Amino acid sequence: MLAYLKGEIIAKEMSGGPVDRLVIDVGGVGFEVAVAHSTLMTVGQPGDQATVHVSVAIRETEWTIFGFARHDERQMFTLLQSVTGIGPRLALALVGTLGVDTLVEAVTSENQKMISQAPGVGAKVAQRIILELKTKMEDFAAARGKTIANPAQTKGQHAVIEEVTDILSHYGYTPTEIQSALKEAEKAGVPRDTAEELLRFTLKLLGAGALK
């Protein structure tokens, strides 16, 4: 129905939950778009021109437009909804909290704990995602030209990430903050062989408020 919206950002509104609000003017028509917090923070400011990739969810009483900064996030959003019991809002929370690359890695390596970091996702839902999407995720990664990591190496790295995640959670940081810090660490090439360096890097980022 709609693939993307391109126009001027009119308003941005944080809800405090996993779904925020964006209003974009396209040719004089204002579209209200439900977005993850990560998208709201990166798409631009009111007055800026922006392109938002969208997916429309139609129910008996309402139509909701969900928006994404990137096309592959929209693809992942659609893929997640093929899992039994996962609707658009939970799919948005997963994409917004973990991001595409982390979701692919977590599902293909069967990292249930990582998937459970997303708001509203418990152990049973995480297990179902792995069961129903593992093969599809491998195909998804291959279509994007991504190589699935060596299982033994991945398992060791996940143990480090889990340790760091547990420590950061104990310090009171939210799953969204933790995943954002871990993504920045990955971009910066911080080693994941031991927890010490990764923890030092993420704590520095979070303590400085650099991700807000």
Side-chain angles (χ1 to χ4, degrees):
M1 183 180 293
L2 291 175
Y4 64 86
L5 296 173
K6 185 176 183 180
E8 181 184 348
I9 297 174
I10 301 300
K12 298 169 63 175
E13 181 181 317
M14 291 185 289
S15 68
V19 182
D20 289 337
R21 176 177 173 269
L22 175 72
V23 178
I24 183 168
D25 182 299
V26 182
V29 179
F31 290 88
E32 181 175 292
V33 185
V35 298
H37 185 67
S38 56
T39 298
L40 192 74
M41 293 295 98
T42 59
V43 74
Q45 298 300 322
D48 292 345
Q49 293 292 314
T51 298
V52 182
H53 300 274
V54 298
S55 178
V56 182
I58 301 175
R59 301 203 173 189
E60 291 183 5
T61 58
E62 65 176 343
W63 289 27
T64 305
I65 302 174
F66 292 89
F68 310 90
R70 304 199 320 260
H71 177 59
D72 62 348
E73 292 175 336
R74 180 180 184 268
Q75 290 178 305
M76 179 62 73
F77 173 77
T78 301
L79 184 59
L80 286 165
Q81 289 180 80
S82 70
V83 176
T84 306
I86 293 188
R89 292 186 179 274
L90 189 53
L92 184 70
L94 279 156
V95 175
T97 302
L98 299 177
V100 173
D101 291 338
T102 300
L103 274 167
V104 171
E105 183 180 341
V107 173
T108 55
S109 63
E110 302 184 17
N111 189 338
Q112 177 184 314
K113 191 169 184 179
M114 179 68 74
I115 299 169
S116 298
Q117 289 295 311
V121 179
K124 289 184 178 180
V125 174
Q127 288 173 354
R128 196 182 309 133
I129 290 171
I130 292 169
L131 179 65
E132 297 186 24
L133 285 190
K134 185 175 180 181
T135 300
K136 292 180 180 179
M137 282 292 191
E138 291 169 350
D139 293 341
F140 180 83
R144 297 171 68 230
K146 298 288 186 178
T147 302
I148 303 299
N150 177 276
Q153 181 183 17
T154 301
K155 185 176 181 180
Q157 291 180 347
H158 279 321
V160 170
I161 292 171
E162 285 184 9
E163 183 180 350
V164 172
T165 298
D166 286 343
I167 294 171
L168 293 176
S169 296
H170 179 73
Y171 287 157
Y173 293 108
T174 67
T176 300
E177 290 172 327
I178 293 169
Q179 292 307 316
S180 295
L182 290 172
K183 287 176 191 175
E184 290 301 316
E186 185 176 7
K187 289 178 186 176
V190 178
R192 298 186 177 192
D193 301 323
T194 61
E196 185 178 355
E197 191 169 351
L198 183 59
L199 181 61
R200 188 184 304 117
F201 182 91
T202 52
L203 277 173
K204 184 177 180 180
L205 273 181
L206 292 165
L211 300 173
K212 295 180 181 179

